[in-house]
Amino acid sequence: MSLPLICAAALAGAVLLLAPTGASAQGTERQRLACMTDAMTLCAADVPNTRRIERCLRRNYASVSPPCQGELDAASAASGRDAGGAPRQGY
């Protein structure tokens, strides 16, 4: 797959990125902006599957940019999960 095609697919996939469970399929504009570059660089093989992109970003949390980490954390808090996507214990 060529780089422009990967970028276009990543852009299309990131539109749906980080949707909280039970919410609409689209992430917020802030989530897309924060995580777009990380999704394209760390998770290009998972594009356009947004669930796989989110799992990839969570697996690579230490390498994800601070703004995207913040959005992953916020999405986790909203869904009752930790940053890795696992259910929180003790709540």
Side-chain angles (χ1 to χ4, degrees), residues 3-4 7 9 11 15 21 23 37-39 42 48 51 53 69-70 74 79 84:
L3 185 57
C7 291
L11 179 61
V15 167
T21 304
T37 300
D38 294 306
L42 297 170
R51 292 187 194 283
I53 293 169
Q69 284 181 350
S79 68

Side-chain angles (χ1 to χ4, degrees), residues 7 40 46-47 64 87 90:
C7 291
M40 288 190 299
D46 296 315
V47 173
V64 170

Side-chain angles (χ1 to χ4, degrees), residues 27-40:
T28 66
E29 180 72 14
R30 192 169 79 187
Q31 290 168 334
R32 289 189 300 274
L33 290 173
C35 296
M36 176 77 64
T37 300
D38 294 306
M40 288 190 299

Side-chain angles (χ1 to χ4, degrees), residues 21-89:
T21 304
S24 74
Q26 291 189 331
T28 66
E29 180 72 14
R30 192 169 79 187
Q31 290 168 334
R32 289 189 300 274
L33 290 173
C35 296
M36 176 77 64
T37 300
D38 294 306
M40 288 190 299
T41 58
L42 297 170
C43 307
D46 296 315
V47 173
N49 186 316
T50 56
R51 292 187 194 283
R52 286 179 49 193
I53 293 169
E54 183 175 0
R55 284 194 304 264
C56 171
L57 290 173
R58 291 187 186 286
R59 271 193 319 273
N60 292 288
Y61 186 84
S63 300
V64 170
S65 66
C68 187
Q69 284 181 350
E71 293 303 320
L72 289 169
D73 293 343
S76 293
S79 68
R81 297 186 169 277
D82 67 17
R88 285 206 189 108
Q89 300 296 316

